[in-house]
Amino acid sequence: MKKERQIYRRHKGESHSAEHYLAKINGLLPEAKSTVSPHTNKQMQVYAQAWEKFCIHIGRDPYDALASCQAQLFQQYLHWILDRGSVQRMNSLITNWNYIRMLYRDKNGQRDIDPIVGKHITNYIKSSLKDEYELSTEVRAKPDMSVEDLRFALRHHWAYDQELYSTERQRVQMSLMLLLCAYTGSRPGAIIESGCARGSNRALRYRDVKLMLIPNPQSGGHDLWVMKVTLVFRKGDCESANPQTFTIHEDDDPAFCPVLQFLALAFADRAFEASNLQSAQDLHRVRIDPPLMCQIFHWKESILDIPVFRQAKRVVGGIMTSPDRAWRYDGFQPSLRILGKATGFRHPITVYGIRRGTGNIMNAVSEHERKQVMGHKQSDTFDRNYLSQHVRRDVQALYRRQKEHQVVQIAAQMSTYMDPRAPYKLTKEQRAMVKKHPKIVELRQMKTASSRELRQMYGSVPKGKGTELYDRYYRSKLDLDSEEKFQESLMERDLRDQYFKTIHTTALERQLSATSTPSTSSTSTTLSSSYTGEETPTRVEHLFQERTRVADALFFSSKDITEQELLERRINIISDLTALCFLRETQNKRSSILSKADRVAKEEVDEEKIEELIDPNLFPLVCPSTQCLFCLGNECLSYGARTYSFSRTDALRKHVQTAHLRYLKTGDTVTCPHPVCEVKLEGIMHFKNHVATVHNIFL
């Protein structure tokens, strides 16, 4: 600000000659900086490429064709788009047309398209094209996620989820991400790196979070942990000029307390400036020192600009959490979709579904506060995109001047229509059926033919790189992979749709059949029991006891405890979450890596018994010939995963090359990863010779 004032003073009182200003007026208009978001720019480039392909197809110059603003030309472009079969919804075609209008403005000095032409094309889409191509006008469901829905998702995430994350820190981050999105109503790009800002590393940083201890307003209660979270990147590519700060406090229900999970990440990152604050157990001694009215916890200078949510990356030793790269949205979103399906929701969980839920709650408070939380300038943005499709007021009761019934809220929840038994993955048999699809068979034959030609001409496929034949092979491979994924997703969607369409009729017919037992048709299975989730799925045997203890403490522990016991439980949760951040499950089958030592540890027996099973003699220098030394030395893995032996030597070699050695450059120094061997090795060949002669592993 001081520098800006100095610049202003320097120019104040200065003026140029009349000729100077006339030259500027008669000169070229300087190009103004675009205010369009990066995501919109990327999307506009996609539609610009489609427009160019169409113009090349009909032999017209793309720019001249766009500048001509011919309604007939735009009509035929839309026909061309529809004839390719890539658009099936009327709203998608309208979006396509809106981007063409934006492209026109961009290429013609921000002049809008002729309003008569614009209205004509819009009406043409809604009438002629809709009828001719039978475009779908069905409104997609936009469910808003309630607190009850979020509880089901979090409970499944911690207690029943069998999906593997790159590291267990990603599991902790997923839970914290859901809670922060619910409590701030933010877009994903405010907390993690959004898709439109790929590579920018813009995300919630430690400098954006102020952690403090504040006296409990209720006399006799313990001091409360509070986070002041400032969302700098609200929307777009740059830091917001008016960032919003949310105060998030300690919650009575540990399952909904983001402070505990944030503390775990801070301890895992060793983020505290106080050198003697190293673990959750140290929190026992933390108090507010009078006359201070709060206790602020400062971060190390070196970690202020480090993102709180970080992605996993592959290194020579395996997979670890990146020290400085933000968690990307394209890595977060697939895990979130799988979580929603595995929980049993009919519609997928999305961050915008959580955001809609927060927006509708704030809408009941006041319009001004809702706009502040949601970051909207105009009210119609909320009305068009976020207002719940369900009328959440009991109009029937209000009309009759009665008290509103809770059943109206329950009927609008996502969890009311969930079923954990719904299929969310294809079986091996179903995947085999997909591979028999005629289009996939045709693409596979094309790929096989190209591969055969490459081998005949060059001896192997990789040796043909850079040739036209290899390019044809590579395109056929990409087309095959894309078609297989598309057909699998199509079958999965059809199976889920069919399940939810038929399950209630099937259940009703079973209840009314003569063979149904009284227990299955009992009135105990009412709406209220499904709402509270009394019938829980079978507990999953977790690989790490830390996760089991976290799940028990969050969802299956008694709430009738003393204040001191509650504090002790919270500290234990933080400790287990911190330890979990350094662990990782492997892709091997759970049954094969849950070893005897793992099972003994899960039974919470004496530490001496565990040490008898895991002693240095179990890591001899001479190893089984199919053991991976990198996995053996990785303390983030379970004992069973570390000592896992492959069935064949070639399988071991493939694993070591693809999972470890590919990240080691030729000539790099590497320390032998064996737990009791610390030899420094110069390069890959030296490493292979060492493991063969000393550890009996031939790579």
Side-chain angles (χ1 to χ4, degrees):
M1 184 64 68
K2 184 177 180 181
K3 184 177 180 182
E4 292 177 357
R5 287 199 298 267
Q6 291 175 349
I7 294 173
Y8 173 74
R9 291 193 188 102
R10 186 168 66 247
H11 289 284
K12 187 177 180 180
E14 297 179 4
S15 62
H16 297 280
S17 63
E19 289 77 10
H20 170 82
Y21 295 108
L22 288 172
K24 293 289 184 180
I25 293 172
N26 296 327
L28 293 175
L29 184 68
E31 183 178 354
K33 185 178 179 181
S34 175
T35 58
V36 179
S37 71
H39 176 70
T40 304
N41 272 326
K42 288 181 180 179
Q43 289 294 104
M44 193 157 58
Q45 292 303 317
V46 172
Y47 290 101
Q49 291 174 5
W51 174 258
E52 289 175 3
K53 289 181 180 179
F54 167 71
C55 291
I56 292 172
H57 182 68
I58 63 174
R60 294 281 300 272
D61 179 74
Y63 180 78
D64 292 341
L66 189 65
S68 66
C69 194
Q70 289 181 285
Q72 296 85 348
L73 184 64
F74 292 137
Q75 288 177 355
Q76 293 311 307
Y77 165 74
L78 296 175
H79 276 282
W80 179 74
I81 290 291
L82 292 169
D83 290 338
R84 299 173 68 191
S86 58
V87 175
Q88 298 177 348
R89 299 175 57 84
M90 187 181 73
N91 285 342
S92 299
L93 194 63
I94 292 176
T95 300
N96 195 313
W97 167 237
N98 288 335
Y99 271 103
I100 295 299
R101 298 181 68 163
M102 291 177 62
L103 186 64
Y104 180 90
R105 287 196 298 270
D106 185 64
K107 299 298 183 182
N108 290 275
Q110 299 303 314
R111 284 192 303 108
D112 202 352
I113 208 165
D114 187 339
I116 298 177
V117 174
K119 186 175 182 180
H120 171 75
I121 296 298
T122 302
N123 292 335
Y124 186 71
I125 292 173
K126 294 181 178 180
S127 56
S128 301
L129 293 182
K130 179 177 75 74
D131 297 336
E132 181 179 349
Y133 291 91
E134 298 180 352
L135 297 177
S136 172
T137 57
E138 181 183 0
V139 179
R140 289 181 177 176
K142 291 184 177 180
D144 47 304
M145 201 168 186
S146 67
V147 62
E148 290 80 11
D149 303 329
L150 185 58
R151 176 178 288 278
F152 275 104
L154 291 173
R155 188 181 67 168
H156 180 90
H157 174 72
W158 284 113
Y160 307 113
D161 192 17
Q162 300 187 53
E163 295 298 319
L164 298 183
Y165 285 79
S166 299
T167 66
E168 286 302 295
R169 178 179 174 123
Q170 307 284 307
R171 193 182 303 276
V172 180
Q173 291 182 170
M174 172 64 77
S175 178
L176 178 57
M177 175 73 176
L178 295 179
L179 291 174
L180 287 183
C181 288
Y183 296 160
T184 63
S186 62
R187 300 174 181 87
I191 302 175
I192 59 178
E193 183 184 289
S194 65
C196 63
R198 183 189 296 272
S200 65
N201 212 37
R202 292 188 174 95
L204 184 72
R205 304 157 298 185
Y206 273 100
R207 72 163 60 249
D208 303 324
V209 181
K210 179 181 286 187
L211 183 67
M212 61 180 67
L213 204 58
I214 291 182
N216 196 326
Q218 298 178 358
S219 59
H222 69 278
D223 296 335
L224 297 178
W225 290 93
V226 171
M227 295 163 51
K228 297 192 73 174
V229 181
T230 302
L231 299 181
V232 179
F233 306 105
R234 296 299 302 271
K235 188 176 183 180
D237 191 40
C238 303
E239 295 189 22
S240 173
N242 184 28
Q244 300 292 334
T245 299
F246 294 83
T247 300
I248 298 174
H249 55 82
E250 190 176 332
D251 200 289
D252 294 335
D253 188 343
F256 285 94
C257 184
V259 179
L260 300 181
Q261 298 172 31
F262 176 79
L263 280 169
L265 296 183
F267 279 119
D269 291 334
R270 297 187 178 277
F272 295 100
E273 188 178 51
S275 58
N276 53 352
L277 184 56
Q278 298 293 330
S279 68
Q281 299 302 325
D282 297 330
L283 299 178
H284 277 298
R285 306 193 303 273
V286 176
R287 298 289 185 274
I288 299 176
D289 190 11
L292 295 176
M293 297 303 295
C294 69
Q295 175 62 59
I296 299 176
F297 295 79
H298 293 287
W299 311 117
K300 292 179 181 177
E301 190 71 26
S302 59
I303 208 169
L304 287 176
D305 291 316
I306 299 297
V308 177
F309 296 83
R310 300 200 296 280
Q311 68 184 26
K313 71 171 187 177
R314 286 191 174 273
V315 293
V316 177
I319 301 177
M320 61 170 287
T321 300
S322 173
D324 56 359
R325 301 307 300 177
W327 200 14
R328 294 195 300 261
Y329 180 73
D330 56 7
F332 159 77
Q333 177 62 10
S335 298
L336 182 61
R337 291 183 68 88
I338 292 175
L339 174 62
K341 292 179 182 179
T343 306
F345 288 117
R346 176 67 181 86
H347 300 289
I349 299 178
T350 63
V351 173
Y352 278 88
I354 302 174
R355 177 171 160 82
R356 273 191 294 271
T358 304
N360 281 276
I361 290 173
M362 294 305 301
N363 192 44
V365 179
S366 74
E367 179 183 351
H368 176 73
E369 290 174 312
R370 185 205 70 209
K371 288 164 65 176
Q372 181 186 24
V373 170
M374 301 294 287
H376 292 156
K377 295 181 180 179
Q378 305 295 333
S379 293
D380 63 335
T381 304
F382 177 83
D383 297 336
R384 285 186 285 105
N385 302 299
Y386 293 95
L387 188 63
S388 177
Q389 294 175 330
H390 296 275
V391 178
R392 290 185 172 268
R393 300 302 299 269
D394 187 357
V395 181
Q396 175 183 344
L398 291 172
Y399 182 81
R400 299 189 61 208
R401 297 183 176 86
Q402 296 176 346
K403 182 180 178 181
E404 295 186 61
H405 204 295
Q406 188 185 6
V407 73
V408 175
Q409 299 293 331
I410 297 174
Q413 292 168 5
M414 293 173 61
S415 52
T416 302
Y417 308 97
M418 64 179 281
D419 189 342
R421 301 168 300 177
Y424 72 97
K425 278 185 176 181
L426 297 183
T427 63
K428 290 182 179 180
E429 294 76 13
Q430 291 166 341
R431 291 181 183 275
M433 290 176 59
V434 169
K435 293 184 182 297
K436 296 178 181 179
H437 190 277
K439 193 168 183 179
I440 292 179
V441 172
E442 180 185 353
L443 290 172
R444 189 183 300 112
Q445 290 173 348
M446 293 172 58
K447 176 191 170 185
T448 303
S450 301
S451 175
R452 188 184 303 112
E453 290 183 41
L454 282 169
R455 288 189 176 89
Q456 289 175 353
M457 295 183 64
Y458 302 101
S460 66
V461 173
K463 290 181 180 179
K465 283 186 178 180
T467 64
E468 183 179 348
L469 182 58
Y470 183 85
D471 292 341
R472 191 172 70 204
Y473 161 79
Y474 190 70
R475 284 196 301 270
S476 63
K477 181 178 181 297
L478 292 179
D479 291 342
L480 176 61
D481 293 342
S482 176
E483 187 64 26
E484 283 185 349
K485 290 180 181 178
F486 173 73
Q487 293 297 338
E488 285 179 0
S489 64
L490 197 62
M491 175 178 282
E492 179 188 306
R493 186 186 65 188
D494 291 343
L495 287 172
R496 286 181 62 83
D497 289 344
Q498 184 65 19
Y499 179 87
F500 282 103
K501 286 179 181 178
T502 60
I503 184 60
H504 293 283
T505 301
T506 302
L508 187 61
E509 290 175 346
R510 185 176 63 251
Q511 294 171 26
L512 298 176
S513 65
T515 58
S516 62
T517 60
S519 60
T520 58
S521 58
S522 172
T523 57
S524 62
T525 307
T526 60
L527 182 61
S528 60
S529 68
S530 63
Y531 166 73
T532 56
E534 292 175 359
E535 296 183 3
T536 58
T538 305
R539 289 293 300 271
V540 175
E541 185 179 12
H542 301 133
L543 183 61
F544 298 117
Q545 55 182 332
E546 290 85 356
R547 183 183 169 192
T548 302
R549 290 198 296 263
V550 168
D552 289 340
L554 295 183
F555 299 101
F556 306 108
S557 297
S558 172
K559 292 180 173 57
D560 187 16
I561 57 176
T562 64
E563 184 77 14
Q564 184 60 33
E565 290 173 335
L566 178 61
L567 179 61
E568 190 66 33
R569 178 185 293 178
R570 292 175 181 275
I571 290 177
N572 290 337
I573 291 174
I574 297 172
S575 298
D576 285 330
L577 288 172
T578 303
L580 204 58
C581 288
F582 297 100
L583 301 177
R584 183 174 73 87
E585 290 190 32
T586 62
Q587 295 293 335
N588 303 42
K589 293 182 179 179
R590 292 171 178 265
S591 59
S592 64
I593 61 176
L594 202 59
S595 66
K596 183 179 179 181
D598 294 326
R599 295 184 184 278
V600 171
K602 291 171 71 59
E603 293 171 3
E604 299 185 2
V605 298
D606 296 337
E607 292 294 330
E608 296 179 359
K609 188 174 180 181
I610 299 176
E611 291 177 1
E612 290 176 1
L613 290 168
I614 307 176
D615 58 35
N617 294 328
L618 291 180
F619 300 128
L621 283 176
V622 180
C623 306
S625 60
T626 57
Q627 216 172 53
C628 175
L629 279 187
F630 290 104
C631 295
L632 187 67
N634 191 343
E635 296 181 354
C636 295
L637 303 178
S638 68
Y639 175 75
R642 294 176 67 183
T643 58
Y644 178 81
S645 291
F646 290 84
S647 58
R648 302 187 313 275
T649 303
D650 61 321
L652 169 67
R653 290 172 179 167
K654 182 178 180 181
H655 164 77
V656 172
Q657 181 60 41
T658 57
H660 302 290
L661 291 184
R662 64 182 294 189
Y663 303 102
L664 183 67
K665 297 179 181 179
T666 304
D668 284 354
T669 301
V670 58
T671 303
C672 179
H674 192 283
V676 295
C677 181
E678 298 181 354
V679 178
K680 300 288 185 180
L681 306 166
E682 300 295 334
I684 296 177
M685 292 307 300
H686 191 191
F687 169 76
K688 290 184 176 181
N689 290 334
H690 170 79
V691 299
T693 56
V694 177
H695 302 296
N696 191 42
I697 298 175
F698 296 87
L699 301 174

